[in-house]
Amino acid sequence: GVVPSTASRLEVISAWAQQHDSEEAEQWLERMEQHELDLGLKEYTSVIHAHAMKGDAPSALRWLQKMREATLHPDTAAHNVVINAWAKSGDAQRACESFEEMVKSKVVPNLISYTSVISAFAQKGDAPQAVHWFEQLCRAGIQPNNVAYNAVINSYAKRRDIAGAADWLQGMEDNKLNPDKLTYNTLIDCCAKFGDADEASRWLNKM
């Protein structure tokens, strides 16, 4: 029969990854290894992505390590998938550790790398750490975007610190970025949970 090309097999792995079926994605990669096909970053990153989309950060990390064992050098995209997986699972500490491992491997973090860590702390309502990582992003010479600002704003909202969240929205505008629907909804939700209907209405009218 016809032997599928590496590109065709990659498409299959990616398709399973999109369906959050990490087991099938793994099996296809292992078949490729058995046939001694030329495997690269994309194939392994697709499997890492499959585990990340399923919310399985430990397995995503395990496949990043397997990538290294295959004498491949994980790039920024591969590391970001693992960092984001830890962030979405609510494990800010592990997200930080993966970030530091990335830097030790001499892989340069990008905007996504930093915003993933910021978001991890924001979920916990840890505004000081969210701000710390936002500042690290700026020190790296990277221009923050709405995602980064919204994450910091969310960290204050989680603490029910409306004033702090509002200050960061102002900083967002000062940096010539337009607050979006998520920005305002975060503040409105914070005000509503705090029982401040007048302030919630004021932010609603600003949208």
Side-chain angles (χ1 to χ4, degrees):
V2 177
V3 178
S5 66
T6 301
S8 298
R9 290 174 187 269
L10 174 57
E11 289 178 3
V12 173
I13 293 173
S14 297
W16 285 116
Q18 291 298 323
Q19 292 185 36
H20 302 192
D21 195 327
S22 53
E23 289 184 7
E24 281 289 346
E26 275 191 21
Q27 288 175 15
W28 274 95
L29 182 58
E30 286 166 354
R31 286 177 198 144
M32 293 174 75
E33 288 176 331
Q34 289 169 7
H35 285 86
E36 298 183 349
L37 295 175
D38 186 21
L39 300 176
L41 292 176
K42 290 182 180 179
E43 288 79 15
Y44 281 92
T45 302
S46 290
V47 174
I48 293 169
H49 184 62
H51 285 292
M53 291 183 73
K54 198 175 177 180
D56 188 352
S59 291
L61 177 60
R62 177 169 57 84
W63 275 90
L64 185 75
Q65 292 167 341
K66 284 179 73 99
M67 184 188 287
R68 292 194 184 99
E69 290 167 6
T71 67
L72 293 171
H73 300 287
D75 59 5
T76 302
H79 281 282
N80 282 348
V81 175
V82 176
I83 294 169
N84 195 44
W86 286 120
K88 286 186 175 180
S89 70
D91 196 331
Q93 184 58 42
R94 295 302 296 271
C96 285
E97 289 173 3
S98 289
F99 183 98
E100 297 299 339
E101 182 62 33
M102 178 184 188
V103 174
K104 285 180 184 176
S105 300
K106 302 189 185 309
V107 178
V108 181
N110 62 11
L111 178 60
I112 295 172
S113 316
Y114 285 98
T115 53
S116 292
V117 178
I118 295 168
S119 296
F121 284 107
Q123 286 181 52
K124 296 164 64 72
D126 191 340
Q129 278 297 317
V131 171
H132 167 76
W133 282 93
F134 184 94
E135 291 171 346
Q136 292 298 314
L137 181 157
C138 295
R139 287 196 189 101
I142 300 173
Q143 180 69 27
N145 62 359
N146 279 39
V147 177
Y149 271 100
N150 283 341
V152 176
I153 290 169
N154 186 44
S155 73
Y156 281 94
K158 290 275 188 183
R159 296 159 67 98
R160 294 189 177 183
D161 185 346
I162 300 171
D167 285 344
W168 276 85
L169 184 146
Q170 184 60 55
M172 187 179 190
E173 293 179 325
D174 292 344
N175 203 28
K176 298 185 171 28
L177 289 172
N178 295 319
D180 53 29
K181 186 177 180 180
L182 178 60
T183 315
Y184 287 111
N185 282 344
T186 300
L187 280 159
I188 292 167
D189 184 61
C190 176
C191 295
K193 287 180 178 177
F194 199 62
D196 192 339
D198 288 338
E199 190 70 3
S201 299
R202 187 174 76 82
W203 285 111
L204 182 62
N205 290 329
K206 281 179 172 286
M207 290 183 73

